């Protein structure tokens, strides 16, 4: 498994993953995203110097994505795993690969936010030894890299 930089050829696949019912229920925004809105957002993220956007690939091809939005020396991480690849440890691996990719960058701390019902994502952060902070039913996971 490895990460590669995302490009516009990945836009529709990422949209498909994002609009998957389980992904929507585990997101802060549960709504279906339109193709037009997604393409506009995706283009913006790819050209944003404070965003690192990767596609997770295995021997079969794209398996998920990891996005890190950088503010000063903190990277806020967000990731999705393709529906057909879930339950195989890809979330844990994608976070680890992102840490390795960004280890020698300006990013010193990684942070991720998880809604309380998203136990799979919480487990991925915990497997990678992130510290857990809670605010109601939202959890923040933090790790120095």
């Amino acid at each position: 498994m490895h990460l590669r930089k995302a490009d516009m050829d990945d836009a529709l696949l990422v949209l498909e993953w994002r609009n998957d019912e389980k992904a929507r229920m585990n997101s802060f925004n549960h709504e279906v995203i339109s193709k037009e809105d997604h393409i506009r957002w995706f283009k913006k993220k790819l050209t944003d110097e404070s965003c690192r956007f990767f596609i997770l690939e295995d021997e079969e091809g794209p398996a998920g994505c990891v996005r890190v939005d950088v503010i000063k020396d903190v990277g806020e991480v967000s990731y999705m795993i393709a529906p057909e690849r879930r339950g195989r440890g890809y979330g844990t691996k994608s976070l680890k690969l992102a840490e390795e990719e960004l280890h020698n960058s300006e990013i010193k701390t990684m942070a991720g936010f998880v809604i309380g019902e998203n136990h799979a994502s919480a487990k991925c952060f915990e497997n990678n030894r992130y510290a857990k902070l809670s605010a109601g039913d939202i959890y923040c996971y933090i790790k120095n890299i």
Side-chain angles (χ1 to χ4, degrees):
M1 232 178 291
H2 67 277
L3 295 178
R4 66 165 172 80
K5 287 186 178 181
D7 60 41
M8 279 308 297
D9 291 339
D10 301 308
L12 294 180
L13 184 57
V14 171
L15 175 62
E16 180 182 324
W17 295 336
R18 169 54 183 84
N19 279 338
D20 170 74
E21 183 177 359
K22 189 167 185 174
R24 286 188 296 111
M25 292 307 106
N26 286 324
S27 297
F28 288 93
N29 175 1
H30 299 310
E31 301 300 317
V32 172
I33 305 296
S34 73
K35 180 179 176 182
E36 296 76 22
D37 287 344
H38 176 74
I39 295 297
R40 191 171 27 260
W41 173 86
F42 200 84
K43 283 181 183 177
K44 183 179 176 186
K45 286 297 179 183
L46 291 182
T47 59
D48 184 347
E49 290 185 18
S50 65
C51 179
R52 313 295 182 268
F53 208 143
F54 304 102
I55 299 296
L56 174 69
E57 291 187 322
D58 65 9
E59 62 281 348
E60 297 174 30
C65 62
V66 181
R67 190 184 82 246
V68 180
D69 293 307
V70 183
I71 301 170
K72 295 187 181 181
D73 63 351
V74 176
E76 182 181 334
V77 63
S78 176
Y79 72 95
M80 287 186 297
I81 303 302
E84 68 276 8
R85 305 287 211 311
R86 293 180 187 143
R88 300 184 193 175
Y90 283 39
T92 297
K93 184 66 174 172
S94 68
L95 290 173
K96 182 67 174 166
L97 288 170
E99 290 173 26
E100 291 171 1
E101 184 74 29
L102 300 169
H103 180 71
N104 289 321
S105 72
E106 73 279 20
I107 299 170
K108 303 302 177 214
T109 303
M110 298 278 280
F113 296 90
V114 177
I115 60 174
E117 300 84 34
N118 190 349
H119 303 291
S121 189
K123 183 177 177 183
C124 293
F125 282 103
E126 290 164 8
N127 286 345
N128 280 297
R129 298 183 178 163
Y130 281 68
K132 178 180 176 181
L133 304 171
S134 64
D137 65 345
I138 296 173
Y139 300 99
C140 177
Y141 289 90
I142 299 173
K143 181 179 181 182
N144 291 329
I145 61 170

mmCIF file of all heavy atoms in Angstrom, residues 21 41 62 83-84 103 105 129 139:
data_model
loop_
_atom_site.group_PDB
_atom_site.id
_atom_site.type_symbol
_atom_site.label_atom_id
_atom_site.label_comp_id
_atom_site.label_asym_id
_atom_site.label_seq_id
_atom_site.Cartn_x
_atom_site.Cartn_y
_atom_site.Cartn_z
ATOM 1 N N GLU A 21 -23.477 5.913 1.507
ATOM 2 C CA GLU A 21 -24.341 6.152 2.675
ATOM 3 C C GLU A 21 -23.591 6.069 4.001
ATOM 4 O O GLU A 21 -23.742 6.927 4.874
ATOM 5 C CB GLU A 21 -25.506 5.162 2.690
ATOM 6 C CG GLU A 21 -26.465 5.424 3.827
ATOM 7 C CD GLU A 21 -27.675 4.500 3.830
ATOM 8 O OE1 GLU A 21 -27.791 3.652 2.929
ATOM 9 O OE2 GLU A 21 -28.492 4.634 4.750
ATOM 10 N N TRP A 41 -15.045 22.180 -5.151
ATOM 11 C CA TRP A 41 -14.290 21.982 -3.908
ATOM 12 C C TRP A 41 -12.986 21.230 -4.174
ATOM 13 O O TRP A 41 -11.925 21.609 -3.655
ATOM 14 C CB TRP A 41 -15.158 21.204 -2.914
ATOM 15 C CG TRP A 41 -14.447 20.785 -1.679
ATOM 16 C CD1 TRP A 41 -14.269 21.511 -0.547
ATOM 17 C CD2 TRP A 41 -13.813 19.519 -1.445
ATOM 18 N NE1 TRP A 41 -13.556 20.775 0.382
ATOM 19 C CE2 TRP A 41 -13.266 19.554 -0.150
ATOM 20 C CE3 TRP A 41 -13.649 18.364 -2.212
ATOM 21 C CZ2 TRP A 41 -12.566 18.476 0.397
ATOM 22 C CZ3 TRP A 41 -12.948 17.301 -1.661
ATOM 23 C CH2 TRP A 41 -12.424 17.374 -0.373
ATOM 24 N N PRO A 62 -6.969 2.367 -6.552
ATOM 25 C CA PRO A 62 -7.372 3.300 -5.493
ATOM 26 C C PRO A 62 -8.232 2.618 -4.424
ATOM 27 O O PRO A 62 -9.159 1.879 -4.741
ATOM 28 C CB PRO A 62 -8.183 4.364 -6.244
ATOM 29 C CG PRO A 62 -7.666 4.303 -7.643
ATOM 30 C CD PRO A 62 -7.360 2.848 -7.879
ATOM 31 N N PRO A 83 -15.718 1.836 -0.017
ATOM 32 C CA PRO A 83 -16.656 0.915 0.654
ATOM 33 C C PRO A 83 -16.248 -0.556 0.585
ATOM 34 O O PRO A 83 -16.340 -1.270 1.583
ATOM 35 C CB PRO A 83 -17.975 1.159 -0.073
ATOM 36 C CG PRO A 83 -17.873 2.549 -0.588
ATOM 37 C CD PRO A 83 -16.418 2.749 -0.923
ATOM 38 N N GLU A 84 -15.761 -0.984 -0.553
ATOM 39 C CA GLU A 84 -15.396 -2.399 -0.709
ATOM 40 C C GLU A 84 -14.096 -2.777 -0.015
ATOM 41 O O GLU A 84 -13.762 -3.955 0.095
ATOM 42 C CB GLU A 84 -15.327 -2.767 -2.202
ATOM 43 C CG GLU A 84 -14.194 -2.106 -2.965
ATOM 44 C CD GLU A 84 -14.506 -0.690 -3.475
ATOM 45 O OE1 GLU A 84 -15.574 -0.119 -3.123
ATOM 46 O OE2 GLU A 84 -13.650 -0.158 -4.201
ATOM 47 N N HIS A 103 6.216 13.552 7.743
ATOM 48 C CA HIS A 103 7.119 13.580 8.901
ATOM 49 C C HIS A 103 8.154 14.696 8.821
ATOM 50 O O HIS A 103 8.419 15.374 9.811
ATOM 51 C CB HIS A 103 7.809 12.230 9.072
ATOM 52 C CG HIS A 103 8.733 12.186 10.235
ATOM 53 N ND1 HIS A 103 8.286 12.190 11.543
ATOM 54 C CD2 HIS A 103 10.087 12.167 10.299
ATOM 55 C CE1 HIS A 103 9.323 12.162 12.357
ATOM 56 N NE2 HIS A 103 10.425 12.160 11.646
ATOM 57 N N SER A 105 7.991 17.487 7.099
ATOM 58 C CA SER A 105 7.392 18.725 6.599
ATOM 59 C C SER A 105 7.271 19.730 7.742
ATOM 60 O O SER A 105 7.765 19.511 8.848
ATOM 61 C CB SER A 105 6.009 18.420 6.012
ATOM 62 O OG SER A 105 5.090 18.132 7.050
ATOM 63 N N ARG A 129 -1.923 5.491 17.983
ATOM 64 C CA ARG A 129 -1.487 6.138 19.219
ATOM 65 C C ARG A 129 -1.746 7.639 19.276
ATOM 66 O O ARG A 129 -0.920 8.412 19.777
ATOM 67 C CB ARG A 129 -0.022 5.831 19.492
ATOM 68 C CG ARG A 129 0.220 4.356 19.679
ATOM 69 C CD ARG A 129 1.639 4.049 20.011
ATOM 70 N NE ARG A 129 1.766 2.613 20.226
ATOM 71 C CZ ARG A 129 2.900 1.970 20.216
ATOM 72 N NH1 ARG A 129 4.016 2.615 20.033
ATOM 73 N NH2 ARG A 129 2.935 0.677 20.417
ATOM 74 N N TYR A 139 -15.034 13.761 19.062
ATOM 75 C CA TYR A 139 -13.723 13.445 19.612
ATOM 76 C C TYR A 139 -12.642 14.049 18.735
ATOM 77 O O TYR A 139 -12.745 14.041 17.509
ATOM 78 C CB TYR A 139 -13.537 11.933 19.712
ATOM 79 C CG TYR A 139 -14.575 11.299 20.602
ATOM 80 C CD1 TYR A 139 -15.703 10.688 20.062
ATOM 81 C CD2 TYR A 139 -14.452 11.349 21.982
ATOM 82 C CE1 TYR A 139 -16.671 10.134 20.884
ATOM 83 C CE2 TYR A 139 -15.421 10.807 22.806
ATOM 84 C CZ TYR A 139 -16.529 10.197 22.243
ATOM 85 O OH TYR A 139 -17.488 9.662 23.062
#
